Amino acid sequence: MPSIEDWTTQPYAIIQKIYEECGNSKHEDFVQKVQDYFNERLSHTSLTKIPSLNSVPLDQLKSGTLVKYRCMIQDVFDPQFCIGQYKVTNTTTHESRIECGSFRDVPNVAPNETVDYAENNHIERLGFYCVPIPGESEWVKTADSCNVDMVASSSTSSGQYKRQREMDNDESSESSSDQNSAKELKDNSKDVEMCSPSASSFVQTALHKEVNSNTKIGFDMNFPLSTEKGLPCIIRVYSNEPELRTTDAVEFVGILSVDPQLASIFDDEMEAEDVACQQELKAHEPPPSLVPRMHALVIRKLHHNNPYLPPVPSEELYKTAVKSLMEDAASIHFELLSILQHALLNDRLAAEYLLCHLISSVYARADVLPLGKLCINLSGCPVTQKYTKFLHHLISQITPQSVILDMSIENMNSLRLIPQKNYQVNRITAGMLQLTPGTHLVLDETELRQGQLNHTGVTNVKALADVINWQKVDYDFQWHPIPVHTNINILTLSEGESLLPKDIHVPLVPDQLITDIPSHFSKLDHRMTPDNLNKLRSYITACRLCEYQVPEEMQVIIQDDFVNTRQDNPKNMTIEDFQRFLGLIRVLVLTYGKGLSNIEMWNKVKTMEEERKSRLVQQQASRDQN
């Protein structure tokens, strides 16, 4: 059996051997055997030994070796025909052989060999333009870079790719067992924790992050977020399973292809009958030193991208890790709620709702209605001392991906939130709302001032409202929109009640006057230790993925309570109230790491809602007096 060095550094030899063993089998059967071979060897432990395109510089990776890539599918290209096999002849000895053409971009030939394309067969493959997960938190990226064993290319190859990248950059600027496994996982988590940046200064980190976010990189790589960094990649896929769509979060393991020949796939000086075809070719086949290619061998849709938990919830390794975590669920829940309460200026009720919001997720759809979403508007937020930036920074410290959008008139009138189809080059131009499921989007309405929205601004506001109401984004295909389902947690921070729709409006009521916001947040420093953050991050992810059930006896209790309340006074329990209660009890139960609702949680939901509605009444009365 090949060692790990063989199948990671020489995957083509393995593929060629499988191809020869398959003989005249169908191409689909051959691809399945290749995928099965590599799937069997990629356990959670061995996966950490594979270098990652997310963290290892491209010039330190060798073409033709195995790499992994954690990404979001930004665009789906049209199917592509390529050569499935070809005949290679040695011009000196006149010996010939049949080579497998799958999982390659260019033929495998030596200088004294020629290719005979007369004996080839054509196969179909799919292409996906993928980008790093938008808004992925720094702690996720840091953990990824600490978990990888780099496989560096030779100094000659490194220099070659480095020089090629510099040339392409100039060109671009011009055109723009379970116990053992659990122990190993625990050891890896310790290593990651050691690599994690110090959390000694919450305020300094938040301010540094804001400065970096103001440095725009542009959309040269077609990133949804203009401040995003990382490497895009074109993924070649040779099977139809699993089905992949835009905004899917996926981890690919495949063969890296950065052959310089790919850069000369087109010639600027040749006379083209169709200029549009040239432009489309350049968009779909950019220089590999800027956008490398990967031939996918293993495809895993991500249930989550939290590096502190095993990736697949259905596997025993994940269940063991979560079971161990939930043994301390009560204290973790208390600590998490306490931190959120401090961040929300000591407002306990708002902290309860915010925690429910962080755990919420769309779990199903009833026709067009998304079930499980909980988009909250926190009003009464301070408009000075960058309070909203500090709060978003806290959210980014405990969730795998988050984005903040300043809803100023200038941003609304200029930003591209909706992805658009560019028919000239036949691809989708990224928009800011092209986000993976589970992303936390914070809308900062405290930045909103008087002004007039132009057509772009009106379109952007409508797009945000559609995500809040229906969890969908209508991609702009010029003549018609194409709806794409989303699963984005939207938190709107505002001074008064937000102009945008919301599932729940919670007025912020601080229990004391806090005049120094940075100093207030700096008091979290001693609690944001790597070990504590590790537990909080794992807890939030595990709660989001918990299964939820309503026992039959609870269904009867809830139904009777609804009927009795309606009989006393229909205004005390409307249909909308009941639907909101059902959604709230689900996420509230999950915040405790449990999966079964009970009467205690039902009563707690009713108490929370009574207090929230009381605040709204008081707020309205105060406005009327003024």
Side-chain angles (χ1 to χ4, degrees):
M1 178 178 135
S3 65
I4 188 170
E5 287 78 12
D6 293 332
W7 58 268
T8 60
T9 61
Q10 300 177 14
Y12 281 129
I14 303 295
I15 292 174
Q16 181 65 26
K17 182 180 179 181
I18 296 175
Y19 184 77
E20 293 170 356
E21 292 174 350
C22 286
N24 295 324
S25 300
K26 293 182 179 179
H27 179 259
E28 293 81 3
D29 297 335
F30 158 68
V31 171
Q32 187 62 53
K33 288 185 177 181
V34 170
Q35 293 176 339
D36 290 343
Y37 177 92
F38 288 96
N39 261 312
E40 289 173 2
R41 282 150 183 80
L42 280 173
S43 64
H44 177 75
T45 303
S46 62
L47 189 61
T48 63
K49 306 296 181 182
I50 307 296
S52 171
L53 280 176
N54 298 97
S55 55
V56 181
L58 187 58
D59 52 22
Q60 294 181 20
L61 296 172
K62 187 176 181 180
S63 186
T65 61
L66 231 58
V67 296
K68 63 183 177 183
Y69 185 51
R70 185 182 64 258
C71 60
M72 181 194 78
I73 296 178
Q74 190 276 322
D75 196 7
V76 180
F77 292 162
D78 292 334
Q80 186 180 61
F81 286 100
C82 60
I83 297 174
Q85 70 173 30
Y86 52 91
K87 182 178 180 182
V88 178
T89 303
N90 189 301
T91 57
T92 304
T93 63
H94 301 291
E95 295 178 347
S96 62
R97 68 180 188 277
I98 299 297
E99 284 278 347
C100 172
S102 299
F103 305 99
R104 288 184 180 275
D105 283 311
V106 294
N108 178 31
V109 294
N112 62 335
E113 293 178 333
T114 60
V115 178
D116 183 4
Y117 291 104
E119 298 189 21
N120 68 66
N121 66 323
H122 291 86
I123 58 174
E124 185 180 86
R125 66 186 181 191
L126 304 175
F128 300 90
Y129 188 87
C130 299
V131 298
I133 294 178
E136 191 172 61
S137 300
E138 286 300 321
W139 59 270
V140 178
K141 298 175 182 178
T142 301
D144 179 70
S145 63
C146 290
N147 264 335
V148 84
D149 288 341
M150 273 195 354
V151 180
S153 62
S154 65
S155 58
T156 303
S157 297
S158 291
Q160 177 183 5
Y161 293 135
K162 198 168 185 178
R163 288 192 297 271
Q164 183 67 27
R165 171 179 275 194
E166 290 171 354
M167 294 169 59
D168 293 332
N169 270 322
D170 292 340
E171 177 183 342
S172 176
S173 63
E174 294 172 4
S175 63
S176 304
S177 77
D178 296 337
Q179 291 181 346
N180 291 334
S181 298
K183 182 179 181 299
E184 291 171 354
L185 175 66
K186 186 176 181 181
D187 293 339
N188 287 337
S189 296
K190 289 181 179 178
D191 294 338
V192 171
E193 183 179 301
M194 292 176 63
C195 292
S196 297
S198 172
S200 61
S201 178
F202 184 94
V203 173
Q204 289 182 5
T205 308
L207 294 178
H208 176 72
K209 182 177 180 180
E210 185 191 9
V211 171
N212 287 341
S213 69
N214 290 332
T215 306
K216 296 200 174 183
I217 303 172
F219 287 86
D220 296 340
M221 298 298 183
N222 210 24
F223 291 154
L225 305 180
S226 61
T227 57
E228 197 66 57
K229 296 180 181 179
L231 196 68
C233 185
I234 293 177
I235 309 293
R236 316 283 199 198
V237 176
Y238 294 81
S239 65
N240 294 320
E241 295 293 337
E243 183 181 3
L244 301 176
R245 300 178 179 178
T246 56
T247 72
D248 280 349
V250 188
E251 184 170 53
F252 294 97
V253 179
I255 303 173
L256 177 66
S257 176
V258 286
D259 196 302
Q261 296 182 58
L262 293 172
S264 58
I265 199 168
F266 50 80
D267 187 355
D268 289 340
E269 297 181 358
M270 69 180 181
E271 294 183 2
E273 296 180 0
D274 192 344
V275 177
C277 289
Q278 268 198 23
Q279 294 175 338
E280 180 178 340
L281 185 60
K282 290 181 180 180
H284 286 245
E285 299 292 343
S289 52
L290 290 179
V291 184
R293 316 301 195 263
M294 180 198 289
H295 298 268
L297 301 172
V298 176
I299 305 171
R300 294 176 177 174
K301 280 191 175 183
L302 293 177
H303 299 274
H304 68 86
N305 59 321
N306 187 330
Y308 297 105
L309 286 175
V312 184
S314 60
E315 293 182 353
E316 282 302 317
L317 185 59
Y318 176 90
K319 294 178 181 178
T320 301
V322 171
K323 182 179 179 181
S324 176
L325 177 71
M326 291 305 174
E327 291 175 355
D328 202 22
S331 62
I332 298 176
H333 176 273
F334 179 83
E335 176 67 8
L336 180 56
L337 190 61
S338 176
I339 289 175
L340 294 178
Q341 180 178 344
H342 183 91
L344 295 175
L345 310 181
N346 300 318
D347 187 337
R348 180 78 175 187
L349 180 67
E352 293 272 14
Y353 277 102
L354 180 56
L355 181 54
C356 289
H357 163 78
L358 295 177
I359 299 297
S360 65
S361 177
V362 176
Y363 64 90
R365 290 180 183 266
D367 197 9
V368 297
L369 183 65
L371 305 178
K373 73 182 181 74
L374 187 64
C375 298
I376 289 181
N377 169 213
L378 283 178
S379 63
C381 295
V383 297
T384 59
Q385 303 184 58
K386 303 183 184 300
Y387 171 77
T388 55
K389 306 301 184 295
F390 285 123
L391 182 57
H392 169 253
H393 178 65
L394 173 61
I395 293 174
S396 72
Q397 288 291 295
I398 57 178
T399 60
Q401 61 260 20
S402 64
V403 179
I404 185 169
L405 171 60
D406 292 341
M407 289 190 62
S408 63
I409 293 294
E410 293 77 16
N411 279 346
M412 289 295 97
N413 287 340
S414 60
L415 291 179
R416 182 171 58 241
L417 301 189
I418 302 175
Q420 298 175 339
K421 177 71 173 182
N422 186 334
Y423 286 96
Q424 187 174 5
V425 296
N426 191 27
R427 68 173 306 176
I428 293 176
T429 303
M432 192 174 176
L433 289 179
Q434 204 170 15
L435 302 172
T436 57
T439 299
H440 296 268
L441 176 58
V442 178
L443 302 180
D444 185 3
E445 255 191 46
T446 65
E447 296 289 336
L448 189 61
R449 301 292 182 267
Q450 286 187 346
Q452 185 172 358
L453 293 173
N454 58 21
H455 176 72
T456 300
V458 173
T459 302
N460 285 337
V461 171
K462 180 182 180 301
L464 291 172
D466 284 344
V467 176
I468 294 172
N469 285 328
W470 311 111
Q471 283 294 323
K472 72 180 181 73
V473 176
D474 288 331
Y475 284 30
D476 182 6
F477 274 63
Q478 294 187 20
W479 296 285
H480 59 95
I482 293 186
V484 175
H485 288 164
T486 62
N487 186 3
I488 302 173
N489 296 50
I490 294 187
L491 172 65
T492 307
L493 305 178
S494 58
E495 185 179 9
E497 183 178 356
S498 173
L499 301 175
L500 291 169
K502 75 282 294 179
D503 295 319
I504 291 180
H505 174 208
V506 183
L508 200 61
V509 180
D511 71 345
Q512 58 182 326
L513 181 62
I514 298 174
T515 57
D516 190 345
I517 298 298
S519 177
H520 180 74
F521 274 92
S522 67
K523 293 177 182 177
L524 291 173
D525 286 350
H526 70 284
R527 303 171 69 174
M528 308 292 278
T529 62
D531 182 63
N532 202 27
L533 283 171
N534 183 3
K535 291 181 180 180
L536 298 179
R537 294 160 177 169
S538 299
Y539 186 78
I540 289 177
T541 301
C543 288
R544 282 179 61 92
L545 296 175
C546 275
E547 294 184 358
Y548 173 76
Q549 294 180 343
V550 182
E552 290 186 7
E553 59 271 19
M554 270 305 299
Q555 294 181 26
V556 175
I557 292 174
I558 291 174
Q559 182 176 345
D560 290 346
D561 193 6
F562 171 69
V563 173
N564 293 335
T565 306
R566 293 271 298 175
Q567 286 177 347
D568 294 339
N569 187 350
K571 292 184 178 179
N572 290 338
M573 179 75 77
T574 65
I575 299 297
E576 292 76 14
D577 289 335
F578 186 61
Q579 291 176 341
R580 185 169 60 254
F581 278 32
L582 293 178
L584 270 176
I585 189 175
R586 178 181 183 275
V587 290
L588 185 63
V589 168
L590 294 180
T591 63
Y592 285 87
K594 300 177 181 180
L596 293 176
S597 60
N598 54 54
I599 188 64
E600 180 185 357
M601 290 293 103
W602 178 250
N603 290 332
K604 184 176 178 62
V605 165
K606 292 171 63 178
T607 301
M608 288 171 56
E609 279 293 272
E610 287 175 6
E611 184 177 351
R612 184 184 68 87
K613 289 182 176 180
S614 175
R615 288 188 181 185
L616 293 175
V617 171
Q618 293 175 9
Q619 189 180 70
Q620 184 61 47
S622 177
R623 281 199 298 263
D624 293 341
Q625 289 178 359
N626 296 333

